[in-house]
Structures are given as structure tokens and as C-alpha cells.
Amino acid sequence: MIGLIKGEVCYLNAPLVCVMTQSGVGYEIELPIPAFCQLSLNEPTSIYTHLHVREDAQLLYGFGTKEDRDVFRKLIKINGVGAKMALAMLSTLSAGELKRAVEHEDDSALVRIPGIGKKTAQRLIIELKGKLLEFGSDISELSGQGEFFDVSLQADNQMQIIAEVESALIGLGYKEKEAQNAIKQAQLGLGDVNISTLLKASLKQLSGF
């Protein structure tokens, strides 16, 4: 099991990062959007990872903290929750917000997550009740976090940035039209943007924050 990777960020392609280790091996890792937005090109990083093995692929999912990885592992044990849905959940809600939504039986918070309707949200609440109590005690809320570190991935032009952000949102499970509308709304009031700032603002639009 690959549990932790340390190395240098060699490229970013939201929500994927490639980390080059000292051994000369580059690992491509998919992260929740908040974790992705804290990475910087050509900078050292440490990423907690979960190796997900399928018949047709071996995929690495990464997290900024061990706690987020532990939450992810709890989620994928729930019937009907695959790795993609769990990643979308942690891209939309922090561990603390997710725990609070479950314990307060707030299905409206869960339906913000792409791919989760009201019935699925209610089922998740039942199945997760009491299983997330150890998480989120000292984690900042996504809606209350300070500015993310600059990803330093400057696109050649505005259209390329928009295309990257749209691709990342669709990869999380949002429909193309939803992603496009969120990006348009997020651009209002923003000046010069990079992928990090536009991803953050678009995700807030989709999450209802």
C-alpha cells in the first residue's frame, strides 16, 4: 500500500498532480479541489495517498492531511459510494461540514454534492451516523478558509484557464452546463484569475456558499 508520497510537483492538471520523488518516479495523484489548490508548481510537497485497485487500473487518490484520507476511507466503505463520489464529497464539504451535516441530519448540505440527490443524501446520513465523530474537530471550513496558496499554473490565456476549470468540475461529477454557469458566475467580480482562484470561486457557486 502506498500511503505517503514526498517529492516535487512537476505538473498540475486539475484535479491531478504529478509528484516526482527522489527515486525518479513520478506519481500521478487525483486530489479533492481544496487540496489541489494548495499545491505549487516545482515546489516540494507531501501527500497522504490511498491506492485504489480496479480490474482495469490502479489509481492514487491524495489528501493534504491524514484525517481527510481517513474520512475518504470511511466513505468508500459505504454501499454505493465509490472513490469518485467520495472525492466529490471532500471537494464540496470539509470533514467538519460533512460530520455536522450527518449528525444534524442536514440532507440539504449533502445534495450540494454532484451525483447526490435527496434520497441518496438521506441514505448516507443513516449509514454515516456516528461514524465521523472523530473527524473535523479542528479543521477549517471550506467556506471560512483563508486564501489558498497560488497554484502558480499560469495558462497561456483566459480560455485555457476556463477549459481547465471546467474539466476539473466535470471530473467531479457536475454536468457541463452546471460547470459553465458556475464559472460564469464566479468570474463576476474577479480580476485576473488563475486556475486556483477560479476553481475555488466556481466550487463555492456550485456548493451554494
Side-chain angles (χ1 to χ4, degrees):
M1 178 67 74
I2 302 172
L4 178 67
I5 292 177
K6 292 185 178 182
E8 183 176 294
V9 176
C10 59
Y11 68 77
L12 292 156
N13 184 17
L16 294 173
V17 59
C18 183
V19 178
M20 182 68 71
T21 63
Q22 289 186 346
S23 65
V25 178
Y27 292 92
E28 193 170 69
I29 309 166
E30 187 170 354
L31 300 97
I33 293 298
F36 174 87
C37 287
Q38 295 187 53
L39 299 175
S40 297
L41 193 62
N42 299 323
E43 292 294 326
T45 187
S46 295
I47 299 176
Y48 290 92
T49 58
H50 174 84
L51 178 61
H52 188 69
V53 179
R54 302 188 326 214
E55 290 185 3
D56 59 341
Q58 294 185 21
L59 307 172
L60 272 176
Y61 295 99
F63 309 89
T65 67
K66 181 177 179 296
E67 181 174 57
D68 279 350
R69 185 187 64 185
D70 291 345
V71 172
F72 176 85
R73 287 176 171 173
K74 289 271 189 181
L75 293 174
I76 60 176
K77 290 180 180 178
I78 301 299
N79 183 40
V81 177
K84 286 291 186 182
M85 180 180 287
L87 206 70
M89 293 171 76
L90 290 173
S91 289
T92 308
L93 302 173
S94 70
E97 289 169 332
L98 183 58
K99 178 182 72 174
R100 204 158 37 248
V102 169
E103 295 307 314
H104 292 174
E105 300 184 6
D106 182 8
D107 57 10
S108 64
L110 295 181
V111 297
R112 299 172 184 166
I113 301 165
I116 295 182
K118 193 171 182 66
K119 288 184 178 180
T120 301
Q122 291 171 345
R123 179 177 62 81
L124 288 173
I125 287 172
I126 293 171
E127 298 200 38
L128 287 169
K129 191 83 167 179
K131 296 180 180 178
L132 301 176
L133 295 178
E134 64 192 282
F135 303 115
S137 59
D138 58 358
I139 291 181
S140 298
E141 307 280 336
L142 176 61
S143 58
Q145 287 176 349
E147 291 300 313
F148 291 119
F149 295 109
D150 187 3
V151 175
S152 301
L153 181 62
Q154 297 299 327
D156 293 334
N157 54 57
Q158 189 79 353
M159 292 304 295
Q160 185 174 342
I161 292 175
I162 292 171
E164 290 278 2
V165 172
E166 183 180 331
S167 176
L169 295 174
I170 292 172
L172 286 173
Y174 291 104
K175 295 179 181 179
E176 182 178 350
K177 196 67 176 178
E178 289 178 320
Q180 291 172 348
N181 289 338
I183 291 169
K184 287 179 182 178
Q185 291 299 316
Q187 286 179 292
L188 298 177
L190 290 178
D192 294 334
V193 296
N194 56 27
I195 291 177
S196 174
T197 56
L198 189 56
L199 264 175
K200 177 184 175 183
S202 299
L203 189 62
K204 283 186 175 182
Q205 289 290 330
L206 288 163
S207 301
F209 290 124

